Structures are given as C-alpha cells and as structure tokens.
Amino acid sequence: MAQRAVKQERAVRTREALVQAAAEVFGELGFAGASVSKIADRAGLTLGAMYFHFKSKEELAREIVVTQPARVRPEHESEGLQHAIDITLTWAYGLAEDTVLYAGARLVMEQEQFNAPEENSHRQWTDIIACDLRAAQAGREVRRAVDVEAVARLVVNACTGAQMHSSIESGRADLPQRIEEMWRVVLPSVAVPSAVARLEFGQSRGRRV
Amino acid sequence: MAQRAVKQERAVRTREALVQAAAEVFGELGFAGASVSKIADRAGLTLGAMYFHFKSKEELAREIVVTQPARVRPEHESEGLQHAIDITLTWAYGLAEDTVLYAGARLVMEQEQFNAPEENSHRQWTDIIACDLRAAQAGREVRRAVDVEAVARLVVNACTGAQMHSSIESGRADLPQRIEEMWRVVLPSVAVPSAVARLEFGQSRGRRV
C-alpha cells in the first residue's frame, strides 16, 4: 500500500510538471505554435510518459483553461460584490507571476481550436461572477432591477479586453488599475451607494492564498 | 493625362482587391497562418504586382486594422452619446457582412506581430469613443465628474471581449444585443437620465452608409 501511495504521489507531481511545462510553451508560442514533443522536452519527460497523462495538446490546453478559476483564490474571505472584485483583482495581479494563468489568458484567444463552444472560458467566468452578483442581490447590495447575467457578461468581457489591451501597452503592468477603473464605472449603475462605499480595492485585495 | 488617370484608377482598384484578398486570407487563417503568396494568389495577382502596393503581410495587416474606423460609418447623423452608440452598433452589425472588418477583429488578437505597441487598435478606438464622450460631456449628456477616458477604455475593452465571446457562442449573431446590453449597464453611471431616455438602439442604428 505504501508503494502505491508513492506511485500516486509521483503521478500527481508528473502531471503538475506537465501542466507547468505546457503553460510555459503555450505562453511563449500560443496553441498553434506548441507541440506535444516541445512540451514533453520542456518537462524533461519522454513522449510515452506524457501520453500516459495527457492524450494530446488539446487536452493540456483544456486543463489549463478549465482550472483557471481554481488558481484564482483570493487571500481574504469575502462574499457578494467584494468577492467578485477580489476575484478579478486576484486574477489581474496573478497573471504577472503565475505561468498557468498567463498561458490561460493567451489560450483564450485560440480556444475554439480545443474547447467545445459551450465550454468556453468566457461562460465559465461569467457563471462565477453572476453567482457573486446574485448573492449581492440577495444581500441587497445590488439593486433588485439589475440584470445580473448582463452585468456578469460585461465584467468578463471588459476583463478579457483589458487584459489584451494592457498586455500590448504595458506588459500587463496596469491591468489591476484597469480592472478597478472598470468597477468604478459599473458600480454606481448596479449597487446601492452604501454598499459601494464599503467596497475595498487595492493590491491587498489581489493577493492569493 | 487621361492615360495617367486610368493608370491611377487601376492602381486604386488593384490595391483594394489586395486588401479584400488579404482580409479573406487573414480572416480564414489568422496573421500567422497567412502568407504573401496566398494573398497574391487569392487576388489573382503576381507577387511582383503585390509588392508594388504592399511590401509585406505586416503592411497589409496594418492597413486592415488601421482603416477599420473608416469602414464603420453609421447611416444616421448623430453626435455625443448617440454617435458612440451608433459606432459600436454599426461595427457589431458590420462584422457579419464586411470581410475587412471581420479580418480586423481577428487580427486584433495577433496585432503585436505587426503593429507598434503605441499604434494598437484598442487605443485607436478608445480615442474615437472618448472624443464622442467629451462632446457628450460638453453638451451635458454625460455628468461632469465622469472620467471620460476610463469609460471609453471600458467600452472598447467590453466590445473586444464581447466580440470574442459572441464569436465562439453564436458566430457573432448575438453581438449587437451584447453591445446594447453593455450600454444599458454603463449609461446610468455616466449619463443624466434625460439624455439616457432620448438614446436610440436597435438595428436601424447599426446600418452603414
């Protein structure tokens, strides 16, 4: 049994090493430019060892895109509007230091090559933000008449566009500032003034566990 | 002189045929997948004839991206907020039928390969929307305290993200609806209620000259 546990642990480590290597290669070359042999090389593994864990580069790319929300875990506990803000800021700060998040942001632009249309990452993030906004509506932070799905789509679309814009102009250095700016424009339409006054921004909200 | 005019007219037509052919190829294959020979083939021209007009595929891609605003000319005359809305809706409807706009939307994702960072298309569109919003502020449609540049960046970022999202989920069929939805969320924060009440949406605002 002990030997089996060692084997399982090794498999988990190998799998994570492959995801990291794939993230590096996708981040540098994009989906089209990457190949399974480049990824196996980068991980220091044989192709056979790689295929044991991932059948194709499509599968690796999906893994990177799908696990993004799990990698964006704000340090502070929060709920409702503050949680939605914390998630977007944690993502914006995290992109600079996390290879897998960075690769995910790049892969988003090519996702029709490896993701089914109904599993796209926009929808995945929209569901997460909408969930926070519904909690905020139940808690009377967000006005009752607000179309929560529409606001969630706007937030996710604006984050996607801001990431592309900021990547070109500042290598993403000003992305957290752009995300805060977005919330400052959107919030007065969406939230009651007392709730807006309580919300916190700034780098401390963007730290990850 | 008459012969010279004929020659000039022919040059203009050849140039436009090259831009159309390049738009088709970029729209299908992206910037990385396109090549000057594929574009010349599509236009039915020799490489020599092509190089007379455009020195590289970079130059063709820049031409397509830079001339986008000139291709988005709303049918209705308007100013201020209504003009900003008309431009975004005309762009959203136009993407479905204009090969060059469609190629431009795709090339935006690869523009760091052919555009200087300070000439990026996000900034180009942000300047256009900011100009409308400043006019709207001068005309007291937009509140005095509003940061016009921040709103313009949000609008352009949200349009970029909406285009990508809508392209995956509906082949861009729901893009105009997403653009209207974005304005409906943003406007109450930005504009005075009487101005919001006057604004028109819908397909008739999205027609081009």
Side-chain angles (χ1 to χ4, degrees), chain B residues 16 45 76 81 88 139:
Chain B
E16 183 56 25
L45 291 168
H76 296 274
L81 274 177
T88 52

Side-chain angles (χ1 to χ4, degrees), chain A residues 112, chain B residues 23-30 64 68 71 91 94-109 163 167 171-172 208:
Chain A
E112 68 280 10
Chain B
E24 285 177 31
V25 175
F26 286 135
E28 288 160 23
L29 305 173
I64 286 172
Q68 278 195 96
R71 292 177 188 271
W91 168 76
L95 274 174
E97 53 197 39
D98 184 318
T99 324
V100 181
L101 281 184
Y102 176 86
R106 177 152 186 184
L107 286 170
V108 156
M109 297 191 253
Q163 186 270 118
S167 157
R172 294 201 182 82
R208 293 189 300 166

Side-chain angles (χ1 to χ4, degrees), chain B residues 25-26 29 31-40 50 57:
Chain B
V25 175
F26 286 135
L29 305 173
F31 181 77
S35 68
V36 282
S37 58
K38 278 177 194 156
I39 294 168
M50 180 178 144
K57 72 169 176 170

Side-chain angles (χ1 to χ4, degrees), chain A:
Chain A
M1 281 301 273
Q3 209 182 353
R4 195 189 217 179
V6 169
K7 261 195 180 168
Q8 277 179 350
E9 204 197 304
R10 199 187 301 149
V12 169
R13 275 207 311 272
T14 306
R15 195 182 157 89
E16 183 57 25
L18 273 167
V19 169
Q20 284 291 336
E24 285 177 30
V25 174
F26 286 135
E28 289 160 23
L29 305 174
F31 181 77
S35 68
V36 281
S37 57
K38 280 177 193 156
I39 293 168
D41 267 5
R42 187 70 62 100
L45 292 169
T46 62
L47 270 179
M50 181 179 141
Y51 283 126
F52 179 76
H53 293 275
F54 294 98
K55 284 197 287 291
S56 60
K57 71 169 177 171
E58 281 76 6
E59 209 177 282
L60 270 160
R62 266 198 303 275
E63 173 80 8
I64 286 172
V65 167
V66 166
T67 58
Q68 278 196 95
R71 291 176 188 271
V72 179
R73 287 177 41 209
E75 186 185 285
H76 297 274
E77 280 218 29
S78 58
E79 54 185 16
L81 274 176
Q82 186 67 57
H83 192 250
I85 290 168
D86 290 353
I87 282 187
T88 54
L89 285 177
T90 305
W91 168 77
Y93 281 107
L95 274 175
E97 54 198 38
D98 184 318
T99 323
V100 180
L101 280 184
Y102 176 86
R106 177 154 186 180
L107 286 171
V108 157
M109 299 190 253
E110 296 170 280
Q111 63 181 304
E112 68 280 10
Q113 293 178 53
F114 57 84
N115 246 351
E118 68 282 7
E119 280 173 358
N120 68 78
S121 71
H122 304 278
R123 175 149 338 158
Q124 186 186 17
W125 283 110
T126 301
D127 289 345
I128 290 168
I129 300 295
C131 180
D132 281 338
L133 294 178
R134 271 192 296 272
Q137 206 166 35
R140 303 194 181 186
E141 290 184 286
V142 163
R143 295 199 182 88
R144 217 189 312 180
V146 165
D147 178 347
V148 158
E149 304 288 331
V151 177
R153 276 192 290 267
L154 169 59
V155 166
V156 172
N157 288 337
C159 286
T160 305
Q163 186 271 116
M164 291 171 65
H165 192 171
S166 168
S167 158
I168 291 174
E169 290 205 345
S170 75
R172 296 200 181 84
D174 68 0
L175 183 57
Q177 190 189 330
R178 298 287 166 251
I179 300 302
E180 175 169 351
E181 173 180 284
M182 166 199 77
W183 283 110
R184 300 274 185 209
V185 173
V186 169
L187 283 169
S189 288
V190 166
V192 300
S194 60
V196 176
R198 275 196 304 273
L199 294 168
E200 288 179 38
F201 289 89
Q203 194 161 0
S204 81
R205 304 306 308 187
R207 281 208 210 100
R208 292 189 300 166
V209 174

